[in-house]
Coordinates of all heavy atoms in Angstrom, one line a residue:
M1 N -35.4 5.8 -17.7 CA -34.3 6.8 -17.9 C -34.1 6.9 -19.4 O -33.9 5.9 -20.1 CB -33.0 6.3 -17.2 CG -31.9 7.2 -17.3 SD -30.3 6.7 -16.6 CE -30.7 6.4 -14.9
S2 N -34.1 8.1 -19.8 CA -33.8 8.3 -21.3 C -32.3 8.2 -21.6 O -31.5 8.1 -20.7 CB -34.3 9.7 -21.7 OG -33.5 10.7 -21.1
K3 N -32.0 8.1 -22.9 CA -30.6 7.9 -23.3 C -29.8 9.2 -22.9 O -28.7 9.1 -22.5 CB -30.6 7.7 -24.8 CG -29.2 7.5 -25.3 CD -29.2 6.8 -26.7 CE -27.8 6.7 -27.1 NZ -27.4 5.3 -27.2
N4 N -30.5 10.3 -22.9 CA -29.8 11.6 -22.6 C -29.4 11.5 -21.1 O -28.3 11.9 -20.8 CB -30.8 12.7 -22.8 CG -30.2 14.1 -22.7 OD1 -29.0 14.2 -22.5 ND2 -31.0 15.1 -22.8
E5 N -30.3 11.1 -20.2 CA -30.0 11.0 -18.8 C -28.9 9.9 -18.5 O -28.1 10.1 -17.6 CB -31.2 10.8 -18.0 CG -32.2 11.9 -18.0 CD -33.5 11.5 -17.3 OE1 -33.7 10.4 -17.0 OE2 -34.4 12.4 -17.2
G6 N -29.0 8.9 -19.3 CA -28.0 7.8 -19.1 C -26.6 8.2 -19.5 O -25.7 7.9 -18.8
L7 N -26.5 9.0 -20.5 CA -25.2 9.5 -20.9 C -24.7 10.5 -19.9 O -23.5 10.5 -19.6 CB -25.3 10.2 -22.3 CG -25.4 9.2 -23.5 CD1 -25.7 10.0 -24.8 CD2 -24.2 8.4 -23.6
K8 N -25.5 11.3 -19.3 CA -25.1 12.2 -18.3 C -24.6 11.5 -17.1 O -23.6 11.9 -16.4 CB -26.2 13.2 -17.9 CG -26.5 14.2 -19.0 CD -27.6 15.2 -18.6 CE -27.9 16.2 -19.6 NZ -29.0 17.1 -19.3
A9 N -25.3 10.4 -16.7 CA -24.9 9.6 -15.6 C -23.6 8.9 -15.8 O -22.7 8.9 -14.9 CB -26.0 8.6 -15.2
D10 N -23.4 8.4 -17.0 CA -22.1 7.8 -17.4 C -21.0 8.8 -17.3 O -19.9 8.5 -16.8 CB -22.2 7.2 -18.8 CG -23.0 6.0 -18.9 OD1 -23.3 5.4 -17.9 OD2 -23.3 5.6 -20.0
I11 N -21.2 10.0 -17.8 CA -20.2 11.1 -17.7 C -19.9 11.4 -16.3 O -18.7 11.6 -15.9 CB -20.7 12.3 -18.5 CG1 -20.7 12.0 -20.0 CG2 -19.8 13.5 -18.2 CD1 -21.3 13.1 -20.9
D12 N -20.9 11.5 -15.4 CA -20.6 11.8 -14.0 C -19.8 10.7 -13.3 O -18.9 11.0 -12.5 CB -22.0 12.0 -13.3 CG -22.6 13.4 -13.6 OD1 -21.9 14.3 -14.1 OD2 -23.8 13.5 -13.4
F13 N -20.1 9.5 -13.7 CA -19.4 8.4 -13.1 C -18.0 8.4 -13.5 O -17.0 8.2 -12.7 CB -20.1 7.0 -13.5 CG -19.3 5.8 -13.0 CD1 -19.3 5.5 -11.6 CD2 -18.7 5.0 -13.8 CE1 -18.6 4.4 -11.1 CE2 -18.0 3.9 -13.4 CZ -18.0 3.6 -12.0
L14 N -17.7 8.6 -14.8 CA -16.4 8.7 -15.3 C -15.6 9.9 -14.7 O -14.4 9.8 -14.4 CB -16.4 8.8 -16.8 CG -16.8 7.5 -17.6 CD1 -17.0 7.8 -19.1 CD2 -15.9 6.4 -17.4
K15 N -16.3 11.0 -14.5 CA -15.6 12.1 -13.8 C -15.2 11.7 -12.4 O -14.1 12.1 -12.0 CB -16.5 13.3 -13.8 CG -16.7 14.0 -15.1 CD -17.3 15.4 -15.0 CE -18.7 15.4 -14.3 NZ -19.4 16.7 -14.4
S16 N -16.0 11.0 -11.7 CA -15.7 10.6 -10.3 C -14.5 9.6 -10.3 O -13.6 9.7 -9.5 CB -16.9 10.0 -9.6 OG -17.3 8.8 -10.2
L17 N -14.4 8.8 -11.4 CA -13.3 7.9 -11.5 C -12.0 8.6 -11.8 O -11.0 8.3 -11.2 CB -13.5 6.8 -12.6 CG -14.5 5.7 -12.3 CD1 -14.6 4.8 -13.5 CD2 -13.9 4.9 -11.1
I18 N -12.1 9.6 -12.6 CA -10.9 10.5 -12.9 C -10.4 11.1 -11.6 O -9.2 11.2 -11.3 CB -11.2 11.5 -14.0 CG1 -11.3 10.8 -15.3 CG2 -10.1 12.6 -14.0 CD1 -11.7 11.6 -16.5
I19 N -11.3 11.7 -10.8 CA -11.0 12.3 -9.6 C -10.3 11.3 -8.6 O -9.3 11.6 -8.0 CB -12.2 13.0 -8.9 CG1 -12.6 14.2 -9.7 CG2 -11.9 13.4 -7.5 CD1 -14.0 14.7 -9.3
F20 N -10.8 10.1 -8.6 CA -10.2 9.0 -7.7 C -8.8 8.7 -8.2 O -7.9 8.6 -7.4 CB -11.1 7.8 -7.8 CG -10.5 6.6 -7.1 CD1 -10.5 6.5 -5.8 CD2 -9.9 5.6 -7.9 CE1 -9.9 5.4 -5.1 CE2 -9.4 4.5 -7.3 CZ -9.4 4.4 -5.9
F21 N -8.6 8.5 -9.5 CA -7.3 8.2 -10.0 C -6.3 9.3 -9.9 O -5.1 9.1 -9.7 CB -7.4 7.6 -11.4 CG -7.9 6.2 -11.4 CD1 -9.1 5.9 -12.0 CD2 -7.2 5.1 -10.8 CE1 -9.6 4.6 -12.0 CE2 -7.7 3.9 -10.8 CZ -8.9 3.6 -11.4
L22 N -6.8 10.5 -10.0 CA -5.9 11.7 -9.8 C -5.4 11.8 -8.4 O -4.3 12.1 -8.1 CB -6.6 13.0 -10.3 CG -6.6 13.3 -11.7 CD1 -7.5 14.6 -12.0 CD2 -5.2 13.6 -12.2
T23 N -6.4 11.5 -7.5 CA -6.0 11.5 -6.1 C -5.0 10.4 -5.8 O -4.0 10.7 -5.0 CB -7.3 11.3 -5.2 OG1 -8.2 12.3 -5.5 CG2 -7.0 11.4 -3.7
A24 N -5.2 9.3 -6.4 CA -4.2 8.2 -6.2 C -2.8 8.6 -6.8 O -1.8 8.3 -6.2 CB -4.7 6.9 -6.8
L25 N -2.8 9.2 -7.9 CA -1.6 9.7 -8.5 C -0.9 10.7 -7.6 O 0.3 10.6 -7.4 CB -1.9 10.3 -9.9 CG -0.7 10.8 -10.7 CD1 0.2 9.6 -11.1 CD2 -1.2 11.5 -12.0
F26 N -1.6 11.7 -7.1 CA -1.0 12.6 -6.2 C -0.5 12.0 -4.9 O 0.5 12.4 -4.4 CB -1.9 13.8 -5.9 CG -2.2 14.7 -7.1 CD1 -3.5 15.1 -7.4 CD2 -1.1 15.1 -7.9 CE1 -3.7 15.9 -8.5 CE2 -1.4 16.0 -9.0 CZ -2.6 16.4 -9.2
A27 N -1.2 11.0 -4.4 CA -0.8 10.3 -3.2 C 0.5 9.6 -3.4 O 1.4 9.6 -2.6 CB -1.9 9.4 -2.7
V28 N 0.6 8.9 -4.5 CA 1.8 8.1 -4.8 C 3.0 9.1 -5.0 O 4.1 8.8 -4.4 CB 1.6 7.3 -6.1 CG1 3.0 6.7 -6.6 CG2 0.7 6.1 -5.8
I29 N 2.8 10.2 -5.7 CA 3.9 11.1 -5.9 C 4.3 11.8 -4.5 O 5.4 11.9 -4.2 CB 3.5 12.2 -7.0 CG1 3.5 11.5 -8.3 CG2 4.5 13.3 -7.0 CD1 2.9 12.4 -9.4
G30 N 3.3 12.1 -3.8 CA 3.5 12.7 -2.5 C 4.3 11.8 -1.5 O 5.1 12.2 -0.8
W31 N 3.9 10.5 -1.6 CA 4.6 9.5 -0.7 C 6.0 9.4 -1.1 O 6.9 9.3 -0.2 CB 3.9 8.1 -0.9 CG 4.6 7.1 -0.1 CD1 4.5 6.8 1.2 CD2 5.4 6.0 -0.7 NE1 5.3 5.7 1.5 CE2 5.8 5.2 0.4 CE3 5.8 5.7 -2.0 CZ2 6.7 4.1 0.2 CZ3 6.6 4.6 -2.2 CH2 7.0 3.8 -1.1
I32 N 6.4 9.3 -2.4 CA 7.8 9.2 -2.7 C 8.6 10.4 -2.4 O 9.7 10.3 -2.1 CB 7.9 8.7 -4.2 CG1 9.3 8.1 -4.5 CG2 7.7 9.9 -5.2 CD1 9.6 6.9 -3.8
V33 N 7.9 11.6 -2.5 CA 8.6 12.8 -2.1 C 8.9 12.8 -0.7 O 10.0 13.3 -0.3 CB 7.8 14.0 -2.6 CG1 8.3 15.3 -2.0 CG2 7.8 14.1 -4.1
T34 N 8.0 12.3 0.2 CA 8.3 12.4 1.6 C 9.3 11.4 2.1 O 10.0 11.6 3.1 CB 7.0 12.1 2.4 OG1 6.4 10.9 2.0 CG2 6.0 13.2 2.2
I35 N 9.5 10.3 1.3 CA 10.5 9.3 1.7 C 11.7 9.3 0.8 O 12.5 8.3 0.8 CB 9.9 7.9 1.9 CG1 9.5 7.4 0.5 CG2 8.8 7.9 2.8 CD1 9.5 5.9 0.5
R36 N 11.9 10.4 0.0 CA 12.9 10.3 -1.0 C 14.3 10.1 -0.5 O 15.1 9.5 -1.2 CB 12.9 11.6 -1.8 CG 13.4 12.8 -1.0 CD 13.3 14.1 -1.9 NE 13.7 15.2 -1.2 CZ 12.9 16.0 -0.5 NH1 11.6 15.8 -0.5 NH2 13.3 17.1 0.2
Q37 N 14.6 10.4 0.7 CA 16.0 10.2 1.2 C 16.2 8.8 1.7 O 17.3 8.2 1.6 CB 16.3 11.2 2.4 CG 16.4 12.6 1.9 CD 16.5 13.6 3.0 OE1 16.4 13.2 4.2 NE2 16.7 14.9 2.7
K38 N 15.1 8.1 2.1 CA 15.2 6.7 2.5 C 14.7 5.7 1.5 O 14.7 4.5 1.7 CB 14.3 6.5 3.8 CG 14.8 7.3 5.0 CD 14.0 6.9 6.2 CE 12.7 7.6 6.1 NZ 11.8 7.4 7.3
A39 N 14.3 6.2 0.3 CA 13.7 5.4 -0.7 C 14.8 4.5 -1.3 O 15.9 4.9 -1.6 CB 13.1 6.2 -1.8
E40 N 14.4 3.3 -1.6 CA 15.3 2.3 -2.2 C 15.0 2.3 -3.7 O 14.0 2.9 -4.2 CB 15.1 0.9 -1.6 CG 15.4 0.8 -0.1 CD 15.1 -0.5 0.5 OE1 14.8 -1.5 -0.3 OE2 15.2 -0.6 1.7
N41 N 15.8 1.6 -4.5 CA 15.6 1.6 -5.9 C 14.3 0.9 -6.3 O 13.6 1.3 -7.2 CB 16.7 0.8 -6.6 CG 18.0 1.6 -6.6 OD1 18.0 2.8 -6.5 ND2 19.1 0.9 -6.7
L42 N 13.9 -0.1 -5.5 CA 12.6 -0.8 -5.8 C 11.4 0.2 -5.6 O 10.5 0.1 -6.3 CB 12.5 -2.0 -4.9 CG 11.2 -2.8 -5.0 CD1 11.1 -3.4 -6.4 CD2 11.1 -3.9 -4.0
D43 N 11.5 1.0 -4.5 CA 10.4 2.0 -4.3 C 10.3 2.9 -5.5 O 9.2 3.2 -5.9 CB 10.7 2.8 -3.0 CG 10.7 2.0 -1.8 OD1 10.0 0.9 -1.8 OD2 11.3 2.3 -0.8
I44 N 11.4 3.4 -6.0 CA 11.4 4.3 -7.1 C 10.8 3.7 -8.3 O 10.1 4.3 -9.1 CB 12.8 4.9 -7.3 CG1 13.2 5.8 -6.1 CG2 12.8 5.8 -8.6 CD1 14.6 6.2 -6.1
I45 N 11.2 2.4 -8.6 CA 10.7 1.7 -9.8 C 9.2 1.5 -9.6 O 8.5 1.7 -10.6 CB 11.5 0.4 -9.9 CG1 12.9 0.6 -10.3 CG2 10.8 -0.5 -10.9 CD1 13.8 -0.6 -10.3
L46 N 8.8 1.1 -8.5 CA 7.3 0.8 -8.3 C 6.5 2.1 -8.4 O 5.4 2.1 -9.0 CB 7.1 0.2 -6.9 CG 7.6 -1.3 -6.8 CD1 7.3 -1.8 -5.4 CD2 6.9 -2.2 -7.8
V47 N 7.1 3.2 -7.9 CA 6.4 4.5 -8.0 C 6.3 4.9 -9.5 O 5.3 5.4 -10.0 CB 7.0 5.6 -7.2 CG1 6.5 7.0 -7.5 CG2 6.7 5.3 -5.7
G48 N 7.4 4.7 -10.2 CA 7.4 5.0 -11.6 C 6.4 4.2 -12.4 O 5.7 4.8 -13.3
I49 N 6.3 2.9 -12.1 CA 5.3 2.1 -12.8 C 3.9 2.5 -12.4 O 3.0 2.6 -13.3 CB 5.5 0.6 -12.4 CG1 6.8 0.1 -13.0 CG2 4.4 -0.3 -12.8 CD1 7.3 -1.3 -12.5
A50 N 3.7 2.9 -11.1 CA 2.3 3.3 -10.7 C 2.0 4.6 -11.4 O 0.8 4.8 -11.8 CB 2.3 3.5 -9.2
V51 N 2.9 5.5 -11.5 CA 2.6 6.8 -12.2 C 2.3 6.6 -13.7 O 1.3 7.2 -14.2 CB 3.8 7.8 -12.1 CG1 3.7 9.0 -13.0 CG2 4.0 8.2 -10.6
V52 N 3.0 5.7 -14.3 CA 2.7 5.4 -15.7 C 1.3 4.8 -15.9 O 0.5 5.2 -16.7 CB 3.8 4.5 -16.3 CG1 3.4 4.0 -17.7 CG2 5.1 5.3 -16.4
I53 N 1.0 3.8 -15.0 CA -0.3 3.1 -15.1 C -1.4 4.0 -14.8 O -2.4 4.0 -15.5 CB -0.3 1.8 -14.2 CG1 0.7 0.8 -14.7 CG2 -1.7 1.3 -14.0 CD1 0.9 -0.4 -13.8
L54 N -1.3 4.8 -13.7 CA -2.3 5.8 -13.4 C -2.5 6.8 -14.5 O -3.7 7.2 -14.8 CB -2.0 6.4 -12.0 CG -2.2 5.5 -10.8 CD1 -1.6 6.2 -9.6 CD2 -3.6 5.1 -10.6
S55 N -1.5 7.3 -15.1 CA -1.6 8.2 -16.2 C -2.3 7.6 -17.4 O -3.1 8.3 -18.0 CB -0.2 8.7 -16.6 OG 0.4 9.4 -15.5
I56 N -2.0 6.4 -17.7 CA -2.7 5.7 -18.8 C -4.2 5.6 -18.5 O -5.0 5.8 -19.4 CB -2.0 4.3 -19.1 CG1 -0.6 4.5 -19.7 CG2 -2.9 3.5 -20.0 CD1 0.2 3.3 -19.8
I57 N -4.5 5.2 -17.3 CA -5.9 5.0 -16.9 C -6.6 6.3 -17.0 O -7.8 6.4 -17.5 CB -6.0 4.4 -15.5 CG1 -5.6 3.0 -15.5 CG2 -7.4 4.5 -15.0 CD1 -5.4 2.4 -14.1
I58 N -6.0 7.4 -16.5 CA -6.6 8.7 -16.6 C -6.9 9.1 -18.0 O -7.9 9.7 -18.4 CB -5.8 9.7 -15.8 CG1 -5.9 9.4 -14.3 CG2 -6.3 11.2 -16.1 CD1 -4.9 10.2 -13.4
S59 N -5.9 8.9 -18.9 CA -6.0 9.3 -20.3 C -7.1 8.5 -21.0 O -7.9 9.0 -21.8 CB -4.7 9.2 -21.0 OG -4.3 7.9 -21.1
V60 N -7.2 7.2 -20.7 CA -8.3 6.4 -21.3 C -9.7 6.9 -20.8 O -10.6 7.0 -21.6 CB -8.1 4.9 -20.9 CG1 -9.3 4.1 -21.2 CG2 -6.9 4.3 -21.6
L61 N -9.8 7.3 -19.5 CA -11.0 7.8 -19.0 C -11.4 9.1 -19.7 O -12.6 9.4 -20.0 CB -11.0 7.9 -17.5 CG -11.0 6.6 -16.7 CD1 -10.8 6.9 -15.2 CD2 -12.3 5.9 -16.9
F62 N -10.4 10.0 -19.9 CA -10.7 11.2 -20.6 C -11.2 10.9 -22.0 O -12.1 11.6 -22.5 CB -9.4 12.1 -20.7 CG -9.3 13.0 -19.5 CD1 -8.2 13.0 -18.7 CD2 -10.2 14.0 -19.3 CE1 -8.0 13.8 -17.7 CE2 -10.1 14.8 -18.2 CZ -9.0 14.8 -17.4
K63 N -10.6 10.0 -22.7 CA -11.1 9.6 -24.1 C -12.5 9.1 -24.0 O -13.3 9.4 -24.9 CB -10.2 8.6 -24.7 CG -8.8 9.1 -25.1 CD -8.0 8.1 -25.7 CE -6.6 8.6 -26.1 NZ -5.7 7.6 -26.6
K64 N -12.8 8.3 -23.0 CA -14.2 7.8 -22.9 C -15.2 8.9 -22.6 O -16.3 9.0 -23.1 CB -14.3 6.8 -21.7 CG -13.8 5.4 -22.1 CD -14.1 4.4 -21.0 CE -13.8 3.0 -21.5 NZ -14.3 2.0 -20.7
I65 N -14.8 9.9 -21.8 CA -15.6 11.0 -21.5 C -15.9 11.8 -22.8 O -17.0 12.3 -23.0 CB -15.1 11.9 -20.4 CG1 -15.4 11.3 -19.0 CG2 -15.6 13.3 -20.4 CD1 -14.9 12.1 -17.8
N66 N -14.8 12.1 -23.5 CA -15.0 12.8 -24.8 C -15.9 12.1 -25.7 O -16.7 12.7 -26.4 CB -13.6 13.0 -25.4 CG -12.8 14.1 -24.7 OD1 -13.4 15.0 -24.1 ND2 -11.5 14.0 -24.9
K67 N -15.8 10.8 -25.8 CA -16.7 10.0 -26.6 C -18.2 10.1 -26.2 O -19.1 10.3 -27.0 CB -16.3 8.5 -26.6 CG -17.1 7.6 -27.5 CD -16.6 6.2 -27.5 CE -17.4 5.3 -28.3 NZ -17.0 3.9 -28.2
K68 N -18.4 10.1 -24.8 CA -19.8 10.2 -24.3 C -20.3 11.6 -24.5 O -21.5 11.8 -24.8 CB -19.8 9.9 -22.8 CG -19.4 8.5 -22.5 CD -20.5 7.5 -22.8 CE -20.2 6.1 -22.3 NZ -21.2 5.2 -22.7
I69 N -19.5 12.6 -24.4 CA -19.9 14.0 -24.6 C -20.3 14.2 -26.1 O -21.3 14.8 -26.4 CB -18.8 15.0 -24.2 CG1 -18.7 15.0 -22.7 CG2 -19.1 16.4 -24.7 CD1 -17.6 15.8 -22.1
K70 N -19.5 13.6 -27.0 CA -19.8 13.6 -28.4 C -21.2 13.0 -28.7 O -22.0 13.5 -29.5 CB -18.7 13.0 -29.2 CG -18.8 13.2 -30.7 CD -17.6 12.7 -31.4 CE -17.0 13.8 -32.2 NZ -15.8 13.4 -33.0
E71 N -21.4 11.8 -28.1 CA -22.7 11.1 -28.2 C -23.8 12.0 -27.7 O -24.9 12.1 -28.4 CB -22.7 9.8 -27.4 CG -22.1 8.6 -28.1 CD -22.2 7.4 -27.2 OE1 -23.4 7.0 -26.8 OE2 -21.2 6.7 -27.0
L72 N -23.6 12.6 -26.6 CA -24.6 13.5 -26.0 C -24.9 14.7 -26.9 O -26.1 15.0 -27.1 CB -24.2 14.0 -24.6 CG -25.2 14.7 -23.8 CD1 -26.4 13.8 -23.5 CD2 -24.5 15.2 -22.5
T73 N -23.9 15.3 -27.5 CA -24.2 16.4 -28.4 C -24.8 16.0 -29.7 O -25.7 16.7 -30.2 CB -22.8 17.2 -28.7 OG1 -21.9 16.3 -29.2 CG2 -22.3 17.9 -27.5
D74 N -24.4 14.8 -30.2 CA -25.1 14.3 -31.4 C -26.6 14.0 -31.1 O -27.4 14.2 -31.9 CB -24.4 13.0 -31.9 CG -23.1 13.3 -32.5 OD1 -22.8 14.5 -32.8 OD2 -22.3 12.4 -32.6
L75 N -26.9 13.5 -29.9 CA -28.2 13.2 -29.5 C -29.1 14.4 -29.4 O -30.2 14.5 -29.8 CB -28.2 12.4 -28.2 CG -29.6 11.9 -27.7 CD1 -30.1 10.8 -28.7 CD2 -29.4 11.3 -26.3
K76 N -28.5 15.5 -28.8 CA -29.2 16.8 -28.7 C -29.4 17.4 -30.1 O -30.4 18.1 -30.3 CB -28.4 17.7 -27.8 CG -28.5 17.3 -26.3 CD -27.9 18.4 -25.4 CE -28.0 18.0 -24.0 NZ -27.4 19.0 -23.1
E77 N -28.4 17.3 -31.0 CA -28.6 17.9 -32.3 C -29.7 17.2 -33.1 O -30.3 17.8 -34.0 CB -27.3 17.8 -33.1 CG -26.2 18.8 -32.5 CD -24.9 18.6 -33.2 OE1 -24.7 17.8 -34.1 OE2 -24.0 19.4 -32.8
R78 N -29.9 15.9 -32.9 CA -30.9 15.2 -33.7 C -32.3 15.6 -33.2 O -33.2 15.5 -34.0 CB -30.7 13.7 -33.5 CG -29.7 13.1 -34.3 CD -29.7 11.6 -34.3 NE -28.5 11.1 -33.7 CZ -28.3 10.0 -33.0 NH1 -29.3 9.2 -32.8 NH2 -27.1 9.7 -32.6
K79 N -32.5 16.0 -32.0 CA -33.8 16.4 -31.5 C -34.2 17.7 -32.0 O -33.8 18.5 -32.6 CB -33.8 16.4 -30.0 CG -33.8 15.0 -29.5 CD -33.9 15.0 -28.0 CE -34.0 13.6 -27.4 NZ -34.2 13.5 -26.0

């Protein structure tokens, strides 16, 4: 596998991770919305923490994808 193909595979993997974590984020938000009348303070705190953590993970993955895309464009420009 060439470096070009390896970078494309890394980008595809990171994209699938972003989709997974976005789905988890929507699930957590949807869950708290459905139980909002019965939710306790602990539930709201845990959902808030989960939203923050998932948002941080997603932003880190976006930064990694941007770095890989930059590497890929630099590799194509050198050829």
Side-chain angles (χ1 to χ4, degrees):
M1 179 185 301
S2 69
K3 184 162 178 113
N4 191 5
E5 292 172 357
L7 286 172
K8 286 181 182 179
D10 288 344
I11 290 170
D12 287 339
F13 178 69
L14 290 172
K15 284 193 307 189
S16 64
L17 283 178
I18 287 176
I19 291 170
F20 172 76
F21 286 115
L22 277 174
T23 304
L25 181 65
F26 290 135
V28 168
I29 292 171
W31 175 75
I32 199 65
V33 167
T34 58
I35 67 157
R36 69 180 179 269
Q37 294 173 353
K38 295 185 282 183
E40 298 177 9
N41 289 338
L42 181 63
D43 294 333
I44 295 171
I45 291 170
L46 290 176
V47 166
I49 292 170
V51 167
V52 169
I53 290 173
L54 288 171
S55 299
I56 290 170
I57 290 171
I58 291 169
S59 66
V60 167
L61 289 174
F62 270 121
K63 287 180 184 178
K64 282 189 172 193
I65 280 184
N66 285 337
K67 184 178 174 184
K68 296 285 183 184
I69 289 173
K70 190 175 237 183
E71 276 183 55
L72 188 62
T73 55
D74 289 344
L75 186 64
K76 285 185 178 180
E77 288 175 0
R78 278 190 244 155
K79 288 186 176 182

